[in-house]
């Protein structure tokens, strides 16, 4: 099986990892996305702002592979503060729907002690299935 590295246009280079890997069968693996911009800058320092940006980043990787939000089949969330997540569920839902619409894939949430980037409050990885017609050449 061969695969294609997916890197959205205009994004700062990924060092030591890939933002996305698209397999011949259309499965797209999106590496854990955090709440920084394409320039790897944290503009938001709150959970909701970082979560929204992480989802925007996931959508950008999926779109760079020729897909759309509805192609996402799985999300795994890593959060550093369970209480903060639970206290903001309404805002989480609103931000999620704003970015990914009403596509609700299989999801897992894991509470972690910390993330590699100290300023990160959430990291989300995804899997999507991109149709053969939509994939880049």
């Amino acid at each position: 099986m061969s695969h294609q590295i997916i890197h959205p246009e205009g994004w700062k280079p990924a060092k030591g990892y890939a933002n996305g890997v698209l397999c011949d069968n259309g499965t797209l693996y999106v590496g854990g996305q955090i709440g920084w911009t394409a320039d790897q800058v944290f503009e938001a320092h709150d959970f909701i702002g970082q979560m929204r940006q992480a989802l925007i980043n996931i959508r950008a990787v999926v779109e760079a592979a020729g897909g759309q939000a509805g192609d996402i089949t799985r999300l795994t969330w890593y959060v550093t503060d369970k209480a903060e997540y639970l206290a903001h569920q309404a805002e989480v839902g609103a931000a999620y729907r704003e970015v990914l619409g009403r596509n609700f894939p299989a999801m897992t949430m894991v509470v972690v002690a910390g993330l590699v980037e100290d300023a990160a409050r959430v990291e989300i990885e995804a899997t999507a299935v991109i149709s053969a017609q939509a994939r880049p050449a």
Side-chain angles (χ1 to χ4, degrees):
M1 178 188 294
S2 65
H3 59 273
Q4 178 181 359
I5 301 300
I6 302 297
H7 188 81
E9 188 175 331
W11 278 26
K12 215 171 178 181
K15 295 181 181 174
Y17 64 94
N19 285 298
V21 176
L22 180 61
C23 299
D24 285 344
N25 67 3
T27 303
L28 172 66
Y29 299 95
V30 180
Q33 298 296 309
I34 57 177
W36 65 16
T37 64
D39 290 323
Q40 298 176 356
V41 173
F42 286 98
E43 291 180 350
H45 298 282
D46 64 300
F47 179 81
I48 298 299
Q50 287 195 15
M51 181 209 80
R52 178 183 288 113
Q53 184 63 54
L55 294 173
I56 289 168
N57 295 346
I58 288 169
R59 188 181 66 200
V61 175
V62 170
E63 289 173 351
Q68 55 190 348
D71 296 325
I72 298 170
T73 58
R74 182 193 59 83
L75 293 173
T76 302
W77 300 53
Y78 302 91
V79 298
T80 59
D81 189 335
K82 176 182 173 182
E84 184 176 32
Y85 168 79
L86 292 173
H88 295 94
Q89 294 234 311
E91 296 97 327
V92 166
Y96 178 95
R97 289 186 303 277
E98 172 191 326
V99 177
L100 297 182
R102 293 198 168 274
N103 176 47
F104 300 106
M107 289 191 216
T108 300
M109 179 162 297
V110 181
V111 179
V112 296
L115 297 164
V116 172
E117 293 295 329
D118 290 334
R121 303 176 74 94
V122 60
E123 183 167 339
I124 308 170
E125 62 182 12
T127 305
V129 179
I130 312 298
S131 71
Q133 298 82 1
R135 290 181 228 152

